[in-house]
Amino acid sequence: MPTNKQIIAIAKKQVGYSEGANNDNKYGKKYGENHCSWCAIFLWWCGQKAAENHGGLNPIAKCDNVYIQEETVRRGGRWILKKTTSKRMKKEVLPKLKEGDLISFDFGKKDNYRDHMGYVLRVDGDKIVTIEGNTQPQNKKTKYDGVYIRERPYTDMCAVVRPRYTK
């Protein structure tokens, strides 16, 4: 399996990529499911590219967006934060986050529904710096159409999985 550094290097090279009309993008084409929300598909694509370039299996599961974390755990990954709305638990997990963790966010009713996901790059105080697909640039009100580095408040986090990377 590839390392987290190899996968993140591939993800970083994608920053600035924008989809075409109607969610048309290269990640969905490779995945076999184009013209749909593609934040989880982007995570899988980066893992797949790293596996193709460096050998081994993709540690990121190919499955329905909502279940990517559960299926990645079945592949040998582990939960760092299982779905929660607890601010205390979220705050406690901040120092445990590592580059390459799969992070889910709940932006709405704080009902623990995973609205979006990305890769953790680092923690900066109470903020989590991520790289995400199917999102918009930081502090810009544009459509959710590309790959960008984002900064999110830890309170938006609802679940984190650490894939089984090669050390």
Side-chain angles (χ1 to χ4, degrees):
M1 293 199 184
T3 67
N4 60 328
K5 301 274 187 212
Q6 291 167 332
I7 291 176
I8 294 301
I10 286 168
K12 285 179 177 178
K13 288 180 183 174
Q14 300 304 305
V15 171
Y17 175 89
S18 291
E19 69 185 20
N22 199 23
N23 276 342
D24 182 38
N25 64 84
K26 65 183 178 182
Y27 315 111
K29 287 176 184 169
K30 181 156 182 94
Y31 190 82
E33 193 174 319
N34 200 11
H35 303 286
C36 62
S37 295
W38 49 276
C39 59
I41 291 171
F42 171 72
L43 303 178
W44 172 86
W45 184 92
C46 293
Q48 189 62 30
K49 276 298 215 192
E52 291 168 5
N53 293 348
H54 302 286
L57 299 173
N58 183 352
I60 314 303
K62 182 178 183 182
C63 62
D64 182 59
N65 284 353
V66 175
Y67 300 106
I68 189 171
Q69 288 176 311
E70 285 86 346
E71 293 300 317
T72 297
V73 167
R74 286 192 187 102
R75 285 190 169 196
R78 66 183 174 97
W79 289 103
I80 304 303
L81 179 68
K82 203 154 184 180
K83 296 184 282 182
T84 187
T85 56
S86 166
K87 281 186 182 180
R88 180 187 57 77
M89 289 177 69
K90 293 175 185 184
K91 186 78 166 176
E92 287 174 4
V93 84
L94 270 177
K96 298 175 185 172
L97 297 181
K98 292 188 178 181
E99 182 180 63
D101 287 346
L102 305 183
I103 188 166
S104 292
F105 299 102
D106 174 9
F107 301 131
K109 302 173 188 168
K110 304 300 179 203
D111 57 1
N112 215 15
Y113 180 78
R114 291 173 276 191
D115 297 319
H116 184 65
M117 58 190 331
Y119 282 116
V120 171
L121 293 179
R122 68 184 176 280
V123 174
D124 188 8
D126 282 352
K127 304 282 185 189
I128 303 164
V129 180
T130 61
I131 186 164
E132 306 167 14
N134 200 35
T135 193
Q136 60 190 173
Q138 190 77 33
N139 300 321
K140 295 202 175 160
K141 300 292 184 203
T142 63
K143 67 181 200 157
Y144 298 87
D145 69 347
V147 177
Y148 302 102
I149 292 175
R150 299 291 313 258
E151 188 178 271
R152 306 271 187 194
Y154 82 93
T155 53
D156 285 346
M157 166 178 45
C158 69
V160 180
V161 164
R162 181 159 304 138
R164 183 176 160 216
Y165 294 118
T166 299
K167 299 207 187 271

